[in-house]
Amino acid sequence: MPILSASLGITRYRVVNDITDALWREVPKRLQDNAFKDIDATTDERSFGWCNIDNMLDMDWADSPPEKGHFMCFSLRLDTRRIPPAVFKKHCLIALSQELAVAKSEGKAFISKDRRREIKDQVMLRLRARSLPVPAVFDAVWNTQTGRVLFCSTNSKAKALFEELFEATFELELEALTPFALGLDMLGEAAASRLENLEPTSFI
């Protein structure tokens, strides 16, 4: 989701580890090393990686650099091929019917379990080859002064993918700034027991 949208959901993170000056200088290269790889010409089910926040087709940051003032800005791109279950079931039935007709012509009365599985795999590959992957892009903004990261999604799967790729790319651990984490950040570790024992208040 673009960070400049009129409305959007944002997940806030802080980087747990210390960030060295050397790492800041390596950010552009690390993004390129973990950039998105296109799967339009393949049968792969999905692909994900970093891309330019200004252009999701730019995986080399040729249009613009990730540095924007004291922020590092980039996007997580995820392309997924989705084959509707009803379509898959239909083409499996067609393929199995054709296979059974061939088997009967050879004097066989059934199709083995292994052959059925093989046919289903072949059907899935054929359908993937005929379908285009659907792209999704999620912007990320990393404040180099505070170490805070804004990720433009609240979807649990998107967040998990972002956290995994961020940690693999930069070798840094992210912590989501939940209300509890924000409370600790503002009040200090001494307030942990008080925050843990808080109970919601009903105003009805």
Side-chain angles (χ1 to χ4, degrees):
M1 184 177 291
I3 190 121
L4 297 180
S5 298
S7 62
L8 72 161
I10 289 180
T11 301
R12 293 185 292 177
Y13 293 95
R14 75 177 183 94
V15 176
V16 176
N17 321 75
D18 293 330
I19 307 172
T20 63
D21 290 339
L23 178 60
W24 287 127
R25 292 192 293 271
E26 293 173 6
V27 166
K29 184 180 184 304
R30 288 179 180 238
L31 288 172
Q32 289 187 14
D33 290 344
N34 294 272
F36 172 83
K37 292 180 175 59
D38 202 287
I39 57 171
D40 282 3
T42 73
T43 58
D44 292 347
E45 185 176 4
R46 76 169 190 166
S47 178
F48 61 89
W50 307 120
C51 67
N52 192 329
I53 196 171
D54 298 315
N55 180 1
M56 75 172 189
L57 302 179
D58 180 15
M59 270 66 77
D60 298 316
W61 281 263
D63 290 355
S64 60
E67 298 94 342
K68 316 284 187 189
H70 63 271
F71 295 95
M72 290 289 181
C73 303
F74 44 92
S75 295
L76 169 64
R77 178 174 168 186
L78 168 65
D79 279 23
T80 309
R81 279 188 168 88
R82 298 184 181 90
I83 308 299
V87 173
F88 178 61
K89 181 178 180 180
K90 169 192 168 183
H91 285 273
C92 279
L93 288 173
I94 293 172
L96 288 169
S97 296
Q98 293 172 345
E99 183 73 12
L100 185 58
V102 172
K104 286 183 177 179
S105 68
E106 296 174 351
K108 301 175 184 176
F110 66 94
I111 305 170
S112 69
K113 185 177 180 180
D114 289 341
R115 179 56 182 158
R116 285 176 178 271
R117 188 181 299 111
E118 183 181 345
I119 290 171
K120 288 183 177 181
D121 291 341
Q122 292 172 350
V123 168
M124 179 57 76
L125 286 175
R126 285 201 301 271
L127 291 175
R128 284 181 187 167
R130 292 166 57 184
S131 68
L132 292 173
V134 178
V137 179
F138 308 94
D139 289 350
V141 175
W142 187 1
N143 189 326
T144 62
Q145 294 182 346
T146 65
R148 300 292 173 91
V149 180
L150 301 180
F151 179 60
C152 296
S153 179
T154 55
N155 178 275
S156 58
K157 291 183 179 179
K159 289 193 299 181
L161 185 61
F162 173 72
E163 293 163 14
E164 175 188 337
L165 185 58
F166 188 96
E167 292 176 19
T169 301
F170 304 111
E171 299 176 359
L172 297 171
E173 184 181 351
L174 289 174
E175 179 185 44
L177 290 176
T178 61
F180 181 83
L182 283 169
L184 279 182
D185 191 48
M186 295 171 62
L187 302 174
E189 293 293 332
S193 59
R194 286 162 37 206
L195 292 172
E196 288 172 353
N197 293 322
L198 286 177
E199 295 183 1
T201 300
S202 174
F203 295 96
I204 299 176

